[in-house]
Amino acid sequence: MRETSFTKVQLSSLLLLRFLVGWHILYEGAAKVINPQWTSLDFLEESQWILSGFSNWIISNPNVLSAVDFLNTWGLVAIGLGIITGLFFKAAALAGALLIFIYYLNSPPLIGMEYALPSDGHNLVVDKNLIEVAALIILALFSTSKIFGLDAFISNFKRKDKLLNE
Amino acid sequence: MSDLNNENKNMPEKNNETGKNLSGDSDKNNKPGMSRRTVVKALAGLPVLGLFGHQLLKKRNYDLEKREAIVKELGLDKIELPASNYGSGSNPGDLIRVGIIGYGSRAHSLARSLGFMHPDEVKSRNEQGTLKEWLDQEYLNVALTGICDVFDQHTENGLAVAENYIRPGGQNAPKLPVKSYRHYHEMLDDKDIDAVIIATPDHHHGQMTIDAAKAGKHIYCEKSVANTEDEINQLYSAVKNSGVVYQLGHQITQNVIYQQARELIKRDMLGKVTLVQTTSNRNTSHGAWVRHLNSQGNPKPGNAKSIDWKQWLGNAPYTPFSINRYYNWTLYFDYATGLIGQLYTHEFDAMNQILNLGIPKSVTSSGGIYFWKDGRDMADMLHIVSEYPERDLTLLYSGNLSSSRGRGRIIMGNDGSMEIGNNIMINADRNSSRYRKGIESGLIDPGSPMISYNPGAGQIDAVTSATERYYASRGLTTTTINGRRVDVTHLHLREWINCIRDGSTPSVNIDVAFDEGMACVMAHRAYVEKRVVQWDKVNKKIV
């Protein structure tokens, strides 16, 4: 990345992607905060493939389930805020990628896996979750937050520190 | 990064027209501090966040306004349900000593709902982490002090459950001796038993209820009420004359959504209700009552020596010992009324509790044995049409044991329909006159539920998603009270126990049981006699 240098259009596109993904994640979280009825129970009940055992364990423990609900909801909000504002951006983007990858693993559209919950469009192996994961990884690798984000203040502060120490 | 910094050190501040790297250093000089332009750029996310917040508020207001508009238009803003005192930790009241007659699998669940569990199940639940939920079940101050069964193994099973002190109420719960009885008359004669739970095969329900009432024991009887009109008449007067508290084991209406459904119907949300459809579909051998084999496919225990066959038969016609009949008694009309006594009775109760149907004027039944050709009497395809001409209403039941497709439980009126599963969904009718304005203005979409009531949230949700509909079809084994998941059978037993203490009337009391029992007997006779069966209201007789 050292030598990477971007045109304005390229940079704007990266920024646009960042805002779109951040918006989506933030609203996923906010909608859950607003809706007191929301629980991950229904989603986890549908879990198939490699995480189904883990999901069943969560469902069978009411305390674990409510902890998972809490962490998921506020995790999404924190990740969304981090991505949009560009604060702790890399950590937020990677955490988001991991979280959404877990969603993907719970209900991957693989051949032979059928879900009672309606799916979002028609998917085979790849679904929108997986694409969002990839987008987040790219965003983390091509981080724009040190220019267009609160991380700029952090790096500025660090640089100041470094200069003072020199 | 350090290389990058070095490269950039001598770059002029405004050289970024042609390119940028992503370290954020390109437009900064090597002096500490940030230029105004850099700060503005760093805050680029804030307008996006502002826009997001604006949209979020707008969306929330839209949802709330829409909900309010619908709720108001429908006159639902004033619905108030009595708050439940469940789990309030109040003093349960005097100890009540309960005996169970017939300790099979249903009794096992009833004991659990009452607060008693087998040590083996305690162990396995502990491993699964579900024990605590059960231990948190409200303590009813009940002692299980008697077990009666015709099969030793069942009695031993029951004793182990009754004597297990890991239970709600903990170590403070009374530790009374538990007696076993070979004949239920011995239990009814025992002064140390206050109340009995009857969980035997159906052909005993009538006589046992009569005898228990005469012995002054309070009664919780599993459905069916009884298999014949005579028995129902006799047990009705026996219970009425004795003053004991009778509760029929129709736990389904303890689900809080039934109170809500009653309220919604009272408010005339559906218009004139003319058709009620209830269904039950199942497609497993267990669901079709083939139950003489265990989960490994081996015969379940019991033989002519260990089972008191004569007592098990009771008043039923004599037949030599049959392990098939012992476990699969529901399949034979000598002991049960088939689907009617097992499933229709629950469905009828559910609708009767909401609509106060009572005994139908006439009943026709049809169907047959189309799939499970194993020598059974029970129809595996059954349709029951019960007419209520005075109400201009038909109750239609359709049961099938070779398809598990869910068909729901739907109340239909000319302005809307209500589907009741684990929550309530009301759809406006597309041709409704009442909702015409709302439909035209787009406020109400007849294609998706206009109102749903989700007991978990304790509020009416007028804006629901399509997925909500799917969950409406889930089973009815638990309900939510004060934010807790609670077993409905536990609530039903609790209501019975509380009524014994304070002399009040339980929800499926003897009068309700009379109506429901008669409606089921009419349906059964219509099937067996292949004719339209009528209820003579004046003489209170099936004709």
Side-chain angles (χ1 to χ4, degrees):
Chain A
M1 264 226 313
R2 239 192 298 156
E3 72 284 9
T4 333
S5 163
F6 291 99
T7 65
K8 248 187 170 174
V9 175
Q10 287 170 324
L11 198 56
S12 305
S13 307
L14 267 178
L15 207 55
L16 179 67
L17 180 64
R18 189 183 111 190
F19 288 149
L20 294 179
V21 172
W23 182 296
H24 174 232
I25 293 177
L26 181 58
Y27 185 66
E28 280 283 4
K32 291 172 178 68
V33 173
I34 290 169
N35 179 5
Q37 298 182 41
W38 182 84
T39 165
S40 56
L41 177 73
D42 304 334
F43 175 77
L44 293 173
E45 266 181 350
E46 284 279 299
S47 179
Q48 292 186 36
W49 214 38
I50 55 174
L51 289 185
S52 61
F54 180 64
S55 299
N56 283 332
W57 174 77
I58 295 174
I59 298 169
S60 59
N61 292 277
N63 295 334
V64 177
L65 181 66
S66 57
V68 164
D69 285 351
F70 179 86
L71 288 175
N72 183 51
T73 302
W74 291 102
L76 283 166
V77 170
I79 290 166
L81 285 174
I83 291 172
I84 291 179
T85 61
L87 182 66
F88 307 120
F89 175 75
K90 247 184 197 176
L94 291 175
L98 183 69
L99 186 61
I100 296 170
F101 193 53
I102 291 171
Y103 299 163
Y104 174 80
L105 289 183
N106 268 299
S107 54
L110 303 181
I111 295 166
M113 296 205 172
E114 281 163 30
Y115 302 95
L117 276 175
S119 73
D120 186 10
H122 296 90
N123 302 306
L124 178 65
V125 183
V126 176
D127 64 7
K128 287 167 191 168
N129 278 336
L130 200 59
I131 294 169
E132 198 161 24
V133 170
L136 282 163
I137 291 170
I138 288 166
L139 285 171
L141 291 176
F142 298 87
S143 160
T144 47
S145 66
K146 286 183 183 169
I147 305 169
F148 296 105
L150 301 180
D151 284 343
F153 295 107
I154 294 174
S155 56
N156 181 60
F157 180 77
K158 277 186 187 158
R159 198 166 45 244
K160 229 196 269 183
D161 226 32
K162 203 174 149 197
L163 283 170
L164 284 175
N165 290 339
E166 276 168 7
Chain B
M1 279 298 169
S2 60
D3 294 344
L4 202 88
N5 286 341
N6 291 338
E7 279 169 29
N8 286 333
K9 263 188 184 152
N10 298 319
M11 282 168 102
E13 197 190 344
K14 288 188 181 173
N15 75 337
N16 49 18
E17 293 305 313
T18 51
K20 273 184 187 181
N21 69 52
L22 291 171
S23 71
D25 297 340
S26 63
D27 57 352
K28 295 179 191 75
N29 55 30
N30 58 357
K31 278 188 286 181
M34 295 164 81
S35 72
R36 171 185 269 226
R37 187 184 165 84
T38 314
V39 171
V40 168
K41 278 186 183 167
L43 297 176
L46 297 188
V48 178
L49 207 57
L51 187 62
F52 177 87
H54 174 252
Q55 288 292 311
L56 186 66
L57 280 177
K58 222 170 138 182
K59 160 91 173 134
R60 179 135 176 79
N61 283 340
Y62 171 81
D63 288 348
L64 288 177
E65 269 168 26
K66 183 167 177 184
R67 197 189 118 189
E68 245 166 57
I70 294 179
V71 164
K72 223 174 198 168
E73 171 157 344
L74 302 177
L76 297 174
D77 43 342
K78 289 183 207 88
I79 285 199
E80 271 172 32
L81 288 177
S84 171
N85 66 348
Y86 186 82
S88 60
S90 55
N91 178 20
D94 296 339
L95 177 73
I96 290 171
R97 299 162 301 175
V98 175
I100 297 183
I101 306 173
Y103 201 88
S105 59
R106 183 58 195 160
H108 209 61
S109 322
L110 287 164
R112 188 195 305 126
S113 299
L114 204 56
F116 301 86
M117 195 183 273
H118 196 278
D120 291 348
E121 197 181 344
V122 167
K123 211 176 135 199
S124 68
R125 279 196 174 226
N126 199 20
E127 282 161 10
Q128 292 159 11
T130 54
L131 185 64
K132 194 177 170 299
E133 197 181 26
W134 176 71
L135 286 173
D136 287 344
Q137 185 173 289
E138 192 176 285
Y139 173 57
L140 303 176
N141 199 20
V142 163
L144 195 49
T145 54
I147 302 290
C148 174
D149 202 281
V150 297
F151 180 20
D152 297 335
Q153 203 173 317
H154 281 178
T155 309
E156 282 160 27
N157 211 357
L159 290 174
V161 168
E163 287 167 348
N164 184 10
Y165 295 119
I166 300 172
R167 59 174 78 154
Q171 290 299 316
N172 300 327
K175 299 183 173 69
L176 300 184
V178 186
K179 290 186 217 170
S180 66
Y181 308 85
R182 193 64 197 224
H183 198 286
Y184 76 94
H185 279 300
E186 295 165 21
M187 182 188 273
L188 296 181
D189 290 341
D190 196 328
K191 297 272 176 293
D192 293 333
I193 298 276
D194 304 313
V196 293
I197 292 174
I198 300 171
T200 59
D202 291 6
H203 62 291
H204 291 290
H205 289 184
Q207 193 58 51
M208 283 178 177
T209 304
I210 294 163
D211 293 341
K214 284 182 178 160
K217 310 292 184 197
H218 302 289
I219 302 155
Y220 181 103
C221 185
E222 263 306 321
K223 48 79 186 173
S224 312
V225 185
N227 290 347
T228 66
E229 183 182 1
D230 277 353
E231 282 178 321
I232 294 173
N233 280 323
Q234 285 176 43
L235 75 86
Y236 179 77
S237 39
V239 171
K240 277 285 182 184
N241 295 330
S242 69
V244 299
V245 175
Y246 175 95
Q247 171 96 301
L248 182 64
H250 280 149
Q251 74 277 3
I252 210 165
T253 47
Q254 295 292 335
N255 193 319
V256 291
I257 65 164
Y258 282 86
Q259 302 170 24
Q260 188 73 24
R262 260 195 301 267
E263 273 301 312
L264 294 169
I265 300 247
K266 252 193 236 165
R267 274 153 208 267
D268 199 30
M269 288 203 54
L270 306 182
K272 179 168 174 162
V273 173
T274 49
L275 178 59
V276 178
Q277 175 194 296
T278 68
T279 58
S280 38
N281 276 26
R282 297 200 197 187
N283 193 16
T284 63
S285 58
H286 189 266
W289 288 277
V290 180
R291 298 186 176 175
H292 60 291
L293 302 174
N294 64 18
S295 54
Q296 280 86 46
N298 300 316
K300 284 186 185 169
N303 53 47
K305 273 186 190 151
S306 56
I307 293 169
D308 181 348
W309 185 243
K310 193 167 164 267
Q311 203 195 147
W312 186 87
L313 282 175
N315 299 330
Y318 177 78
T319 169
F321 176 80
S322 155
I323 198 72
N324 170 41
R325 282 179 173 251
Y326 176 74
Y327 281 110
N328 302 332
W329 54 268
T330 45
L331 303 181
Y332 304 99
F333 288 162
D334 284 346
Y335 322 113
T337 55
L339 271 189
I340 292 167
Q342 301 306 310
L343 297 182
Y344 173 64
T345 185
H346 274 303
E347 296 299 322
F348 183 86
D349 171 64
M351 289 309 158
N352 188 33
Q353 298 270 349
I354 293 174
L355 298 164
N356 299 321
L357 295 174
I359 302 172
K361 172 79 177 66
S362 69
V363 180
T364 51
S365 305
S366 70
I369 301 157
Y370 295 172
F371 191 83
W372 296 93
K373 297 185 186 291
D374 52 9
R376 64 176 61 200
D377 298 330
M378 169 199 270
D380 55 27
M381 173 77 78
L382 180 68
H383 298 99
I384 302 167
V385 183
S386 306
E387 301 290 353
Y388 294 84
E390 286 165 19
R391 302 258 312 248
D392 298 325
L393 185 148
T394 294
L395 170 69
L396 179 70
Y397 170 80
S398 172
N400 176 294
L401 294 181
S402 51
S403 162
S404 56
R405 185 183 169 108
R407 288 184 289 164
R409 187 183 287 139
I410 307 166
I411 301 174
M412 283 161 265
N414 65 325
D415 283 322
S417 58
M418 175 190 278
E419 184 164 0
I420 306 169
N422 216 359
N423 60 4
I424 298 170
M425 297 284 175
I426 297 181
N427 281 52
D429 192 283
R430 68 184 70 256
N431 299 317
S432 156
S433 50
R434 177 173 174 181
Y435 301 128
R436 187 187 295 139
K437 264 185 162 177
I439 292 170
E440 276 169 5
S441 72
L443 182 67
I444 295 169
D445 170 15
S448 64
M450 154 173 84
I451 288 283
S452 79
Y453 177 74
N454 190 334
Q459 63 172 12
I460 293 167
D461 177 10
V463 184
T464 53
S465 64
T467 52
E468 287 252 20
R469 260 188 85 72
Y470 166 79
Y471 291 108
S473 62
R474 295 273 160 114
L476 278 161
T477 49
T478 59
T479 185
T480 311
I481 294 179
N482 301 338
R484 284 172 61 181
R485 242 176 229 239
V486 188
D487 166 20
V488 288
T489 305
H490 165 66
L491 290 174
H492 205 48
L493 285 159
R494 175 180 178 266
E495 185 189 74
W496 174 58
I497 296 286
N498 287 342
C499 290
I500 292 174
R501 288 198 180 109
D502 62 21
S504 53
T505 311
S507 52
V508 197
N509 56 58
I510 189 65
D511 290 298
V512 177
F514 180 84
D515 289 357
E516 295 183 351
M518 283 302 179
C520 288
V521 169
M522 285 172 78
H524 183 57
R525 285 187 47 188
Y527 177 75
V528 173
E529 296 168 19
K530 304 270 175 261
R531 68 180 182 94
V532 181
V533 172
Q534 314 263 356
W535 176 246
D536 178 347
K537 213 172 149 186
V538 181
N539 299 309
K540 293 201 153 198
K541 250 179 81 180
I542 298 175
V543 286

